[in-house]
Amino acid sequence: MRLRTALCSTASALSALALLSACSSGSGTASTSSGAPLVGVDYPRSDTDFWNSYIKYTPEYAKQLGLSLKTTNSQNDVAKLTANAQTFISQGVKGIAMAPQDTAAIAPTLSQLEAKKIPVVTVDTRPDTGNVYMVVRADNRAYGEKACQYLGTKLGGKGKVVMLQGDLSSINGRDRTEAFNDCMKKNYPGIKVFGEATNWDGAVAAQKLQTDLTANPDIKGVYMQSSFALSGTLQVLKQKGLLVGPKDKKHVFVVSNDGIPEELKDIAAGQIDATVSQPADLYAKYALYYLKAAIDGKKFQPGKTDHDSTIVKVRDGLLEDQLSAPLVTADGGTYGGVPSVKSDDKSLWGNNLG
């Protein structure tokens, strides 16, 4: 499903200069497609491999879909996102894609855009209140459930695990946390879960993991709700002498969420054990796809799509396209009834970044 283009590397000197804005990761400049509908995309942050991959894919799909693009970066700050939306309005965009990290505080901005008849697609997150044209995300409760089933199976239903949560002001942090806890209580009551709020901050996650391991050296599992915690987790495990292969009795089983290339390499190397591949490429593709559909006046209904996903009605006025996000492991096995794909599978976007 990857639509790739070599434009940014093969264009002539003049064309390369003209295309610089389309290849930019967030300067707020537009592409040069004459007569193409103008849309705005706010990048939520650029300090993680996952979101940098999303930033990379966005101009590629904009060109494929015939859209002219303006971009901003709100840097995980809802006040900046609100200001960026005002900038888009002044620039005359026909639609906006955004990924609000504070899913409650974005409501007034959504109301303003709705009043101005500017359609909005939210990516990765779902607003707590307010209407948008479409939400493009994966089923985040399934992320928590898949991590639970993998760790529960590997630990034989007994032991201790640390859950490095994201931000509970985000629907994603809440969904992953609640689903992981619910699954553990229902299926693996013999496993004790230490839940640690981290605000999607890798340094905070590493510090809390180190504290937990010091107090509970028998911890045998870690669930990272995003790859933001990857490097810090590996560093802490190494310091504790626990960064050993899965056949070693000291091995701590680690499950992540995102599916970035580094995670896939670490699974193959036996440093972590699993991840859930969150589709950075398809987030970019379908955010823009639905913006174009909104501009064209198209309507959608709940049900199966033609791209291996399901549109669900979350509430009145809010539809969500839940894209596929597979569990990824070294062996491609089934864990707690959850099938997985091998970490070297070429269908994974993390194996196809050039």
Side-chain angles (χ1 to χ4, degrees):
M1 299 200 54
R2 182 82 21 78
L3 300 176
R4 303 304 303 271
T5 175
L7 279 170
C8 295
S9 61
T10 61
S12 66
L14 180 60
S15 297
L17 181 61
L19 282 165
L20 181 59
S21 60
C23 299
S24 170
S25 65
S27 64
T29 53
S31 71
T32 58
S33 301
S34 177
L38 179 64
V39 299
V41 176
D42 181 81
Y43 302 137
R45 57 198 302 172
S46 54
D47 58 349
T48 70
D49 289 344
F50 177 82
W51 284 114
N52 283 333
S53 297
Y54 172 78
I55 288 169
K56 176 182 181 293
Y57 285 119
T58 297
E60 297 180 9
Y61 285 120
K63 181 172 179 59
Q64 290 290 337
L65 291 165
L67 296 171
S68 184
L69 184 66
K70 288 185 178 291
T71 63
T72 56
N73 191 320
S74 54
Q75 299 175 328
N76 203 27
D77 185 331
V78 71
K80 290 181 180 179
L81 175 54
T82 297
N84 291 344
Q86 304 308 312
T87 298
F88 285 146
I89 292 171
S90 69
Q91 292 169 335
V93 299
K94 302 299 183 184
I96 297 174
M98 63 174 68
Q101 302 300 285
D102 188 327
T103 52
I106 195 61
T109 299
L110 295 179
S111 295
Q112 181 188 20
L113 293 169
E114 184 178 20
K116 291 182 175 295
K117 301 188 184 306
I118 298 175
V120 174
V121 172
T122 64
V123 181
D124 181 54
T125 63
R126 179 205 309 144
D128 293 357
T129 60
N131 298 330
V132 300
Y133 181 79
M134 184 67 74
V135 177
V136 175
R137 68 196 288 255
D139 182 351
N140 276 248
R141 287 193 62 85
Y143 290 10
E145 291 167 0
K146 290 174 181 179
C148 161
Q149 294 291 0
Y150 183 86
L151 288 175
T153 299
K154 284 295 186 179
L155 271 60
K158 298 179 181 179
K160 300 175 181 178
V161 302
V162 177
M163 173 170 51
L164 298 174
Q165 301 162 328
D167 186 343
L168 298 185
S169 70
S170 161
I171 185 66
N172 289 353
R174 295 197 300 273
D175 276 358
R176 297 176 199 186
T177 296
E178 291 169 4
F180 186 82
N181 283 333
D182 290 348
C183 171
M184 281 294 182
K185 289 176 183 177
K186 178 182 178 181
N187 299 294
Y188 307 104
I191 293 180
K192 180 176 177 57
V193 178
F194 297 94
E196 300 289 3
T198 69
N199 196 33
W200 307 116
D201 186 313
V204 173
Q207 181 270 318
K208 290 191 173 183
L209 177 60
Q210 185 163 16
T211 298
D212 285 336
L213 282 168
T214 299
N216 299 274
D218 55 343
I219 285 171
K220 298 300 292 183
V222 178
Y223 170 37
M224 307 182 300
Q225 289 191 358
S226 168
S227 59
F228 77 94
L230 179 62
S231 62
T233 294
L234 294 181
Q235 183 178 9
V236 169
L237 292 177
K238 185 176 182 180
Q239 290 172 348
K240 296 284 188 181
L242 301 174
L243 191 60
V244 294
K247 293 184 179 180
D248 192 303
K249 291 182 179 180
K250 293 191 298 182
H251 181 75
V252 176
F253 291 94
V254 178
V255 182
S256 187
N257 288 163
D258 276 347
I260 62 172
E262 193 63 32
E263 287 176 331
L264 303 183
K265 293 175 184 176
D266 287 342
I267 291 172
Q271 292 193 317
I272 71 171
D273 301 274
T275 189
V276 178
S277 180
Q278 185 171 214
D281 55 341
L282 301 186
Y283 279 3
K285 177 178 181 177
Y286 286 104
L288 294 168
Y289 167 85
Y290 284 116
L291 280 187
K292 188 173 188 297
I295 294 168
D296 293 341
K298 295 181 180 179
K299 303 292 184 181
F300 293 90
Q301 299 295 327
K304 295 289 186 180
T305 71
D306 61 358
H307 49 269
D308 191 30
S309 68
T310 302
I311 295 176
V312 299
K313 181 179 179 180
V314 178
R315 57 178 182 266
D316 287 343
L318 194 67
L319 296 177
E320 178 173 304
D321 188 355
Q322 296 186 336
L323 303 178
S324 176
L327 178 66
V328 181
T329 63
D331 63 1
T334 297
Y335 296 89
V338 178
S340 69
V341 299
K342 290 185 177 181
S343 59
D344 60 357
D345 194 302
K346 294 303 181 183
S347 69
L348 299 170
W349 68 267
N351 286 324
N352 290 288
L353 284 175

